[in-house]
Amino acid sequence: MFRWIRQTLIVTMLGVRTIPQRLGPSIVAIVGIAGVVVVFVSVLSIGVGFRAALVGAGSPGQAIVMRNGSESEMTSGLTGPETDIIKQAPGIARDGGKVMAASEMYVVIDLDKRSTGTPANVPIRGIEPVSFDLRPDLHVVQGRALQFGTNEAVVGRAAVREFSGIDLGSEYVSKQLSLKIVGVFESKGSVAESEIWCDARTLQGAYRRGNSYQSVLAKLDSPAAFQPFKDWLSTNPQLNVTTRLESDYYAEQTTVMTGLINGVGYVIAILMGVAAVFGAILTMYTAVATRTREIATLRALGFNAWSVVASVLGESLSLAAIGGVSGGLLAYVAFNGYQTATMNFQTFSQVAFAFSVTPSLLIQGLVYALVMGFVGGFFPAIRAARLPISVALREL
Amino acid sequence: MKYLYLVWRSLMRRKVRTAFTFGCVVASFMLFSFLTIVSGAFTAGVEFAGANRLWLYDKVSIIQFVPIAYLQDILRTPGVEAATDCTWFGGSYQDKPSQFATFATDLDEYLKLYPEFRVAPDQLKAALADRQGAIVGRDTATKYGWKVGDRIPLKGDIWMAKDGITWYFNIDGIYDGPSNVDKTQFLFRYEYFDENRRAGKGNVSWYVIKVSNPEQAASIAATLDDHFANSQAETKTAPEKAVLADFAKQTGNIGMMLTMILAVVFFMILLIVANTMAQSVRERTSEIGVLKTLGFSDPVVLTLVISESVLIAVVGGWVTLFLMFFFVGHGSFNMAMLPVFIFKTSSLFTGLGLALLLGIASGILPAVSAMRLKITDALRRN
C-alpha cells in the first residue's frame, strides 16, 4: 500500500514538474478552465448580490399588510380608513404611547438611469414619522432628515448613485409633484437605499390618490404575536387583506430574478464547461503523447499502471486547480462589489445592488474546475495506462 | 477546391483530436445561440414595435393613469389615423402572477392598430358581442391548453371586481401571426372592465396611436404633449419602439454582459483551436517539407493550413447555428423562464461571421509558420 502511494507520488511529481516543457497546451487548458470559472462565478454573483440587497431589507419581527391578492406593494391599495383599522390590530408593539405601525405609499417615478440615460422606474415611498423607527438600520448620512408636512425628501445612497435628477440639494419638479432633496440615507446596502422617501401626504396629492396607501408595516410584540395578528386581520369583515412577515415578503421578491440568473448561469457554465473539458482532453492527450516513452520506461522499471493513471489525472487536476483559483480570483477582483441597478419584475421598480462574489461561490467555482479537470484527464489517463510497453518504447 | 481532399485527409490524420476540437466549436456556438435567445427575450418588445405607432402615457410614470376622455382629443389631432386605450390588468392565473401580458382595450380598434395580429373575423365578432369576451395569443393558448369557448378565471391584484377579486373571461378568439409577432397577449374588453372594476373608473394606462406618416411622429408627439400639458394628467408621447427599448434597458445592460461573456468564450475557443492547429503543423513538419519539395507554393501551403481550421470552425459553427435557428425560431417553445423565443436573423449572420473569423484567426499563426518553413529545415527536423 505504502509502496503504491510512493510510486504514485513520484510519477505524479514527475508529470507535474515537466509541465513547463508543455507550456503551450497547458496554458490552453488553464485558460479554458479559468474562463469558465470567471463567467460562472460572476454571473452567479449577480443573483447573490441581488438577493442580499432584498433579504437584508426585511425583519422577521415585523409584518407587512397589503390588499388581498397583491403579491407586491406596487399592486396593492388600501384606503386611509382601512389602514387605521389595521393599526388597531392586537400584537403591534408600542413605544410609550406610539403605535409602531406605519401606513406607507409605494409608487414609481420616471428618472433617467445614469448608466444608460434612459428612463427607469425609481421607487418612491410615502412615509409617516414612525417609518424611520421601523427601520433601525437606516441613517441619514448627508444633509438632514426630512420635515413632515413639507415637500422635502431624503434619498437612498444607491438611488443617488444610479439615477440622475435627485442629487442632494436639488429639486425634482413636475406639474403634479415637486420634491426638495434634503438628505441622503444609508441602510446597510439593502433595497431601501434604492428608494426616495417623502411624506405620504405630499405623495398622495401628487399622484391623485386621495387618502390611500399601499401597505401597512407593523412591528410585532413578539414572534408569537404574528399568528393572532394575521388571524385578527383576516377575520375582520371590514378588511380584505393579506399579511406576511416582512422578511418573507422580501425573500419572495427574489424568486423570479434569482431563478432567472441561476438558470441562465448554469446553462452558460455547462456549455462553456463542455468546451473547456474538450480543451483539457486535447491538452492531456498531447501530454500523454509527448511523454509516451517516459511513461513506458517507468512501466518497464516496474511502476504499475495505476500510478500512471494517477499521474495523468494529477497533472490535469493541477492544471484545473490553477485555472479554478485564477478564474475565481479574477472574478473577485473584477466584479465583487460592482454596483448596478436592475428592474425587479415582481415590484415593477428598480433595485440597486452590488455583485457579491462570496467564498461559497468561489468554492463552487473551484469544485467545478476540478470536475472539469478530472473528466478532461480521465480518458487520456486510461490511454496512458493501456500503452503496450514494448510498442511505446519503440515509438520515436 | 481541388485541395479539399488534402485538407480533409490532414484533419482525419488524428480523428480524436479533430473530433474534440469540433466539439469545442459546437459547444461554443450552442452557447452563442442560447445567449442570443436570452437577450432576444429581454428585447422582444422592441422587435415587435411598429414604426408608425406612438404610445402616450402619464408623464410621472406609466403606472399612473390618464383619463379615457383624452381619446377624443387624440383622435382629433391632425396626423392621427387611429388610437386606442389600453389598461394594464396584470393579475394572477392558477395562483401565479400571469406570465402573459393582460390588458383591457377596445378589441376592434386594437386589432386594427396591430394588423399583424391575425384573428378570424367570426371570432372577433363573437368577442365583440360578448361582454366578458377575450382574445388570446396562440402561444399562451397552447401553453395553458385553452380553446375557444373556455371560461378563464383571473385573480385581480391591482383591480378588484365588483363582487370579489376573481374576474371571469370567455375565450372567444385566438390570434395568430408570423414568427416575429408576440403571441402571448391576453386582451379583453374595456367596457366590461370599466363597468366591473371597483375603483379607478374612467382611467386607462396608455394609448396606442397610429400616425399616417411615420416621419411626422415626433411633431405629433410634441403636439399631443403640449395639448395635455395643462390638463389633469401631463403626458409623455414617444414612438412604440423607443418606449419598449427604454423598458428593456431597465433590466440593465444585458447587451454588454452578453458581449463580455462571448468575448471570454471566443478567446477560449480561439486558444483551443489555435493550439490544435499548431500541434498538427508541428507534427507534420516533414510532410509540409515534402509538399514544398513537390512544388506547392508558399501561399498554397498557407491556404491549406488555414483551410483546416476554417473547415472545423465553419462546419461546426454554421451547422450548430442553422440547427438552433430553425429549431428555436420555428418551434413553439414555452418555458416559464422566457416568455418569448426569438433568434434574430441579424444574430444568425453575426454568428456565421464569427465562425469564419474564428477559423481564420486560429489558423493564421500555425499557417504562417508552415509557410515560412524552409524545405531543408523541414526535412532535416526528424
Side-chain angles (χ1 to χ4, degrees):
Chain A
M1 187 64 196
F2 179 71
R3 219 186 80 166
W4 183 81
I5 295 174
R6 220 168 61 106
Q7 278 194 4
T8 309
L9 267 178
I10 291 171
V11 184
T12 308
M13 283 317 292
L14 192 65
V16 172
R17 277 202 203 131
T18 52
I19 287 178
Q21 292 171 16
R22 301 179 296 276
L23 207 55
S26 305
I27 285 177
V28 170
I30 292 173
V31 170
I33 287 170
V36 180
V37 174
V38 169
V39 172
F40 175 69
V41 170
S42 48
V43 170
L44 291 192
S45 77
I46 301 173
V48 173
F50 182 81
R51 203 177 150 72
L54 283 161
V55 169
S59 153
Q62 300 188 155
I64 184 164
V65 184
M66 294 180 298
R67 183 173 58 203
N68 191 17
S70 299
E71 294 290 325
S72 79
E73 286 178 278
M74 186 51 115
T75 55
S76 173
L78 298 168
T79 64
E82 282 171 337
T83 66
D84 290 338
I85 298 171
I86 294 165
K87 287 180 184 173
Q88 291 161 15
I92 300 180
R94 275 159 208 277
D95 182 14
K98 195 160 56 173
V99 180
M100 296 295 275
S103 312
E104 297 184 348
M105 270 186 88
Y106 184 90
V107 290
V108 294
I109 181 175
D110 263 12
L111 289 178
D112 283 353
K113 208 169 186 170
R114 286 190 205 270
S115 61
T116 57
T118 52
N121 295 351
V122 181
I124 299 196
R125 189 178 288 281
I127 53 156
E128 297 187 321
V130 185
S131 297
F132 284 103
D133 301 324
L134 297 175
R135 278 109 172 161
D137 288 337
L138 191 145
H139 305 286
V140 173
V141 289
Q142 268 179 285
R144 59 177 174 81
L146 66 99
Q147 271 186 334
F148 285 85
T150 67
N151 69 339
E152 290 179 353
V154 289
V155 292
R157 197 184 45 172
V160 182
R161 185 184 71 223
E162 298 292 335
F163 312 108
S164 55
I166 46 168
D167 294 317
L168 182 61
S170 69
E171 203 160 355
Y172 170 87
V173 187
S174 78
K175 191 175 152 250
Q176 290 105 349
L177 175 66
S178 88
L179 292 174
K180 211 167 130 191
I181 313 298
V182 297
V184 175
F185 64 81
E186 275 182 14
S187 179
K188 290 192 175 166
S190 82
V191 67
E193 288 186 12
S194 313
E195 298 173 348
I196 303 171
W197 280 25
C198 69
D199 188 343
R201 305 235 168 240
T202 309
L203 208 53
Q204 282 175 345
Y207 277 67
R208 304 191 302 276
R209 293 235 168 153
N211 183 19
S212 78
Y213 298 90
Q214 265 64 51
S215 63
V216 174
L217 182 64
K219 185 174 176 174
L220 301 170
D221 275 331
S222 66
F226 178 68
Q227 201 54 45
F229 174 74
K230 184 176 173 169
D231 293 343
W232 189 89
L233 291 171
S234 55
T235 52
N236 189 322
Q238 289 167 286
L239 298 172
N240 183 17
V241 295
T242 162
T243 310
R244 294 175 173 86
L245 281 180
E246 194 191 14
S247 49
D248 291 348
Y249 171 66
Y250 282 108
E252 273 166 35
Q253 280 183 25
T254 63
T255 51
V256 169
M257 195 62 167
T258 47
L260 183 74
I261 289 170
N262 288 346
V264 171
Y266 284 119
V267 173
I268 294 174
I270 289 168
L271 286 174
M272 280 186 83
V274 169
V277 164
F278 286 168
I281 291 178
L282 287 169
T283 301
M284 292 316 296
Y285 269 131
T286 318
V288 170
T290 51
R291 287 174 60 203
T292 303
R293 235 180 356 173
E294 182 187 312
I295 291 169
T297 310
L298 288 170
R299 292 290 308 280
L301 287 174
F303 284 83
N304 66 30
W306 286 108
S307 60
V308 172
V309 169
S311 125
V312 175
L313 278 179
E315 180 174 339
S316 76
L317 286 174
S318 327
L319 296 179
I322 298 172
V325 169
S326 50
L329 285 178
L330 201 61
Y332 183 84
V333 171
F335 293 112
N336 191 43
Y338 180 80
Q339 291 166 329
T340 185
T342 188
M343 174 81 131
N344 184 3
F345 289 100
Q346 281 163 287
T347 56
F348 202 62
S349 53
Q350 292 281 323
V351 175
F353 67 98
F355 288 27
S356 172
V357 180
T358 56
S360 124
L361 277 184
L362 291 174
I363 290 169
Q364 280 183 48
L366 185 59
V367 169
Y368 189 40
L370 292 175
V371 170
M372 288 186 282
F374 183 82
V375 177
F378 187 75
F379 294 102
I382 300 290
R383 180 195 170 112
R386 280 201 182 148
L387 280 176
I389 300 175
S390 52
V391 178
L393 276 176
R394 212 179 301 134
E395 208 165 274
L396 289 183
Chain B
M1 258 346 234
K2 62 180 169 180
Y3 296 127
L4 198 61
Y5 184 68
L6 194 58
V7 173
W8 177 250
R9 292 299 305 185
S10 314
L11 285 174
M12 287 301 109
R13 203 169 175 274
R14 296 254 181 181
K15 291 196 187 66
V16 175
R17 185 164 66 197
T18 306
F20 281 122
T21 315
F22 191 77
C24 280
V25 174
V26 169
S28 53
F29 280 92
M30 277 176 73
L31 185 58
F32 174 88
S33 311
F34 173 73
L35 293 178
T36 298
I37 293 162
V38 170
S39 87
F42 279 100
T43 53
V46 185
E47 299 302 309
F48 301 146
N52 58 354
R53 289 192 291 255
L54 298 174
W55 281 36
L56 177 146
Y57 53 95
D58 189 278
K59 192 181 174 185
V60 177
S61 161
I62 199 161
I63 70 154
Q64 283 299 103
F65 303 108
V66 280
I68 186 76
Y70 281 18
L71 184 59
Q72 291 313 315
D73 290 29
I74 294 168
L75 287 169
R76 268 199 299 272
T77 308
V80 171
E81 201 175 291
T84 187
D85 56 278
C86 297
T87 308
W88 183 255
F89 180 79
S92 56
Y93 179 65
Q94 293 177 340
D95 289 327
K96 266 191 283 180
S98 311
Q99 307 282 323
F100 41 89
T102 322
F103 49 91
T105 183
D106 181 333
L107 289 179
D108 199 20
E109 286 298 315
Y110 188 85
L111 291 167
K112 278 182 204 154
L113 282 158
Y114 290 86
E116 59 270 37
F117 287 31
R118 289 196 301 258
V119 60
D122 57 317
Q123 292 188 347
L124 175 62
K125 223 171 113 188
L128 293 175
D130 177 5
R131 246 166 36 97
Q132 286 165 280
I135 291 179
V136 64
R138 168 73 57 205
D139 288 350
T140 299
T142 310
K143 180 172 175 182
Y144 296 102
W146 294 341
K147 304 176 301 296
V148 169
D150 283 359
R151 194 167 167 82
I152 306 300
L154 292 183
K155 244 193 218 169
D157 49 0
I158 309 171
W159 303 108
M160 303 290 105
K162 263 187 200 155
D163 54 352
I165 65 169
T166 308
W167 295 65
Y168 292 91
F169 301 103
N170 304 322
I171 306 283
D172 287 326
I174 291 175
Y175 74 82
D176 221 320
S179 67
N180 63 341
V181 163
D182 176 6
K183 290 183 280 289
T184 64
Q185 299 179 4
F186 186 101
L187 313 164
F188 56 88
R189 296 179 59 188
Y190 176 78
E191 293 95 321
Y192 171 62
F193 169 69
D194 197 44
E195 177 191 304
N196 199 40
R197 60 177 156 179
R198 214 180 289 170
K201 285 189 198 301
N203 284 313
V204 305
S205 295
W206 72 92
Y207 287 99
V208 182
I209 299 164
K210 186 181 176 188
V211 296
S212 29
N213 179 359
E215 280 169 24
Q216 287 175 356
S219 74
I220 292 171
T223 312
L224 286 166
D225 289 343
D226 283 348
H227 180 79
F228 295 118
N230 291 311
S231 317
Q232 190 182 348
E234 250 187 299
T235 61
K236 182 152 108 184
T237 310
E240 183 171 57
K241 210 177 191 94
V243 174
L244 297 173
D246 286 353
F247 184 75
K249 281 187 195 141
Q250 291 226 31
T251 311
N253 208 336
I254 306 269
M256 196 186 79
M257 260 185 62
L258 247 50
T259 313
M260 277 166 69
I261 294 175
L262 285 175
V264 175
V265 174
F266 281 98
F267 180 64
M268 197 173 119
I269 301 303
L270 187 71
L271 277 185
I272 292 174
V273 181
N275 179 53
T276 311
M277 289 309 300
Q279 252 173 289
S280 154
V281 167
R282 248 195 321 271
E283 282 174 14
R284 293 187 329 222
T285 304
S286 52
E287 278 175 35
I288 292 169
V290 172
L291 279 181
K292 291 192 169 187
T293 316
L294 290 174
F296 282 76
S297 67
D298 284 353
V300 172
V301 171
L302 180 92
T303 321
L304 280 177
V305 176
I306 286 193
S307 306
E308 283 177 42
S309 61
V310 169
L311 199 67
I312 291 182
V314 164
V315 172
W318 289 19
V319 167
T320 311
L321 285 167
F322 278 117
L323 280 180
M324 295 295 279
F325 183 74
F326 286 107
F327 193 46
V328 172
H330 299 266
S332 196
F333 275 80
N334 246 320
M335 293 154 71
M337 195 175 82
L338 301 173
V340 240
F341 270 80
I342 326 173
F343 195 140
K344 283 186 268 178
T345 318
S346 63
S347 308
L348 175 69
F349 284 108
T350 311
L352 299 179
L354 269 176
L356 188 62
L357 204 67
L358 178 74
I360 296 171
S362 53
I364 192 91
L365 281 181
V368 167
S369 72
M371 183 184 78
R372 290 216 183 116
L373 213 54
K374 286 204 192 92
I375 297 177
T376 44
D377 290 343
L379 292 177
R380 201 187 307 135
R381 212 185 267 182
N382 239 331

